[in-house]
Amino acid sequence: MIVRRCAVLAPRQLSCARNSSNPHKPAPHIQHHDITYQEGEINISKILRKIQRDVRINPEDTKNNSLTTSYWFERSIKLSELHTVYLQLSKSRLTTLVVLTAAAGFAFNPVSGSLASFAAVSAGTFLCSASANACNQVMEAPFDAQMDRCKQRVMVRHLVTPLHGLMFSAVCGVLGTGVLYYCVNPLTAALGLANIVLYAGVYTTMKRYTIANTWVGSIVGAIPPAMGWAAASGTLDSGALALCALIYFWQFPHFNSLSYNVRQDYCRAGYHMMSVTDTSLNGRVSLRNTVALIPLCVAIPFTGISHCSFSFYSIVVNTYFSYLAWNFYREPSKQTARELFRFSLVYLPILFGFLAIGYAFKERTATDERHHGDKKYIQELCPAAVLPATAASDQLCPVASKSS
């Protein structure tokens, strides 16, 4: 069992600090959005209401309105529950999406990789993503505490110490890059390490200073397909770049529409996002990158990873995607942002489904072309071809009759 001791300011101390001249008016230095984050100390009223069941307050102590009085409680975690905490630190759903995009890069590579390489790149990618996400949560804990969508995170609730979180991040990072280096190849390990550094070191820091963080974050999200591709063939070529560009452009309408509806949270936490600083730019960037997906998807079959029919399927999907982005740009609102965000959630599964169908059809067509005129291959496809050339056998296997 891991015991975490936390100090909080009693809720009454926040709500009852009064101006001595007017007892009904709060003291001028008390504001509802103030936060003082120290080791084990939180003074946000919303969070206090969530954890007040863990705090035992002596009624006599509440007579003292001093803001310096703290009440201590212990929050314990059983070892059997620790894996749940680690999954939350890893942002397991986001990490699973990262692993799936890496698996897509591995699967669409014309070079067939081994099952062992696939398992290794999946495990290594998961660990690298977990490392970056855990470090991000440790660094952003005092700011996440001010956001409604983040206030239930592990570090905000003090389920583990910052040192514990950093140690988990370091172990995952070392294991992840080690697995990729020794079980896959150095190129994939370098991409995994770059992902950790860019996300935890660059993107997380930039969020509080410039809106350029969104572009850096999109680069981070575009790296996993390249990791999967490099794991299969050991190199990067036009097919890998096409998959990376697809993920890169998709992230702007996905994130910008999401951030629009939670821009109050980002504003309270002091994050520089386009949805906060420039709503018009937020819509323009979403539309621009959505439109860029149209020519990109048309060109993807020329890289050799799908059949030319994918171009026609993708035009329909991307046209509708661009239409939703146009609505969001022309009239930014919660409704248009929600419509764009919801479609962005199903966009990748739909497009990767078309890619998989096109890839399978292309492989079958290439196989048929290689065996054109090969009677043995024809007999494998149509066993009736081994029968004597009779009218019945011709009806059973017209392919065999034509070849003969």
Side-chain angles (χ1 to χ4, degrees):
M1 177 180 295
I2 298 177
V3 178
R4 174 78 170 109
R5 297 191 69 211
C6 298
V8 298
L9 298 173
R12 180 178 178 83
Q13 291 177 306
L14 288 176
S15 60
C16 296
R18 303 297 178 185
N19 191 313
S20 57
S21 60
N22 185 355
H24 299 287
K25 181 179 179 181
H29 62 281
I30 304 298
Q31 298 181 12
H32 72 280
H33 60 272
D34 283 349
I35 174 172
T36 302
Y37 181 86
Q38 296 177 359
E39 174 66 21
E41 180 169 283
I42 305 176
N43 67 344
I44 303 174
S45 58
K46 289 185 178 180
I47 298 178
L48 288 172
R49 285 196 295 271
K50 293 289 185 182
I51 63 174
Q52 61 184 352
R53 63 180 183 275
D54 298 325
V55 184
R56 295 181 178 180
I57 302 176
N58 186 347
E60 295 297 327
D61 293 337
T62 59
K63 296 178 180 180
N64 181 8
N65 289 330
S66 172
L67 289 177
T68 59
T69 302
S70 297
Y71 297 91
W72 289 86
F73 68 96
E74 292 184 345
R75 187 186 296 276
S76 60
I77 303 175
K78 297 180 180 179
L79 293 179
S80 60
E81 300 173 351
L82 198 57
H83 71 281
T84 304
V85 173
Y86 287 155
L87 286 176
Q88 294 177 16
L89 269 178
S90 306
K91 298 182 182 177
S92 57
R93 287 186 295 180
L94 175 61
T95 296
T96 300
L97 176 61
V98 170
V99 173
L100 289 176
T101 57
F106 187 94
F108 289 128
N109 194 323
V111 178
S112 298
S114 65
L115 184 61
S117 296
F118 177 77
V121 72
S122 298
T125 303
F126 187 94
L127 290 169
C128 287
S129 178
S131 173
N133 287 325
C135 186
N136 168 268
Q137 289 194 58
V138 172
M139 296 173 65
E140 294 185 343
F143 314 114
D144 287 345
Q146 302 175 74
M147 301 177 64
D148 290 337
R149 63 186 294 264
C150 301
K151 63 186 179 182
Q152 293 300 321
R153 288 182 174 175
V154 170
M155 300 308 303
V156 176
R157 294 163 58 199
H158 288 256
L159 296 181
V160 295
T161 65
L163 179 60
H164 191 156
L166 286 176
M167 289 297 295
F168 172 76
S169 173
V171 170
C172 286
V174 172
L175 288 178
T177 53
V179 168
L180 294 176
Y181 184 85
Y182 290 104
C183 301
V184 186
N185 54 58
L187 176 58
T188 308
L191 291 172
L193 180 60
N195 219 2
I196 297 174
V197 173
L198 281 176
Y199 187 81
V202 181
Y203 168 73
T204 301
T205 304
M206 290 180 67
K207 286 170 68 175
R208 301 195 59 78
Y209 297 99
T210 172
I211 61 174
N213 70 82
T214 306
W215 280 264
V216 175
S218 296
I219 294 174
V220 173
I223 290 178
M227 295 172 63
W229 190 281
S233 61
T235 59
L236 297 176
D237 53 29
S238 58
L241 297 179
L243 290 176
C244 292
L246 175 63
I247 301 296
Y248 175 83
F249 289 132
W250 166 80
Q251 288 179 91
F252 287 95
H254 172 74
F255 177 75
N256 288 0
S257 58
L258 168 66
S259 65
Y260 182 85
N261 283 338
V262 294
R263 62 190 186 278
Q264 293 85 358
D265 269 0
Y266 285 118
C267 184
R268 280 197 300 270
Y271 290 130
H272 287 246
M273 299 296 175
M274 283 182 281
S275 58
V276 175
T277 61
D278 193 338
T279 305
S280 177
L281 177 63
N282 189 59
R284 284 200 308 274
V285 170
S286 301
L287 177 61
R288 187 164 62 222
N289 286 273
T290 308
V291 172
L293 287 168
I294 298 177
L296 172 66
C297 291
V298 170
I300 279 181
F302 295 98
T303 64
I305 64 175
S306 188
H307 191 261
C308 59
S309 60
F310 171 77
S311 299
F312 298 100
Y313 302 143
S314 66
I315 287 176
V316 177
V317 179
N318 286 318
T319 299
Y320 182 67
F321 200 17
S322 299
Y323 167 74
L324 295 178
W326 165 254
N327 287 342
F328 178 56
Y329 164 69
R330 183 185 59 182
E331 187 180 351
S333 65
K334 289 187 175 182
Q335 179 64 26
T336 56
R338 192 177 296 112
E339 290 175 352
L340 179 59
F341 175 71
R342 286 176 177 173
F343 187 75
S344 71
L345 293 176
V346 299
Y347 175 83
L348 284 183
I350 292 174
L351 214 64
F352 279 133
F354 286 146
L355 265 177
I357 294 172
Y359 181 82
F361 186 75
K362 177 180 176 298
E363 287 296 306
R364 179 59 182 270
T365 304
T367 302
D368 290 344
E369 290 177 353
R370 286 195 305 268
H371 295 85
H372 180 69
D374 186 347
K375 291 185 178 181
K376 184 178 180 180
Y377 177 72
I378 293 173
Q379 289 177 358
E380 291 177 355
L381 289 179
C382 186
V386 300
L387 298 175
T390 62
S393 63
D394 290 346
Q395 291 178 357
L396 288 173
C397 188
V399 176
S401 61
K402 292 181 180 179
S403 63
S404 58

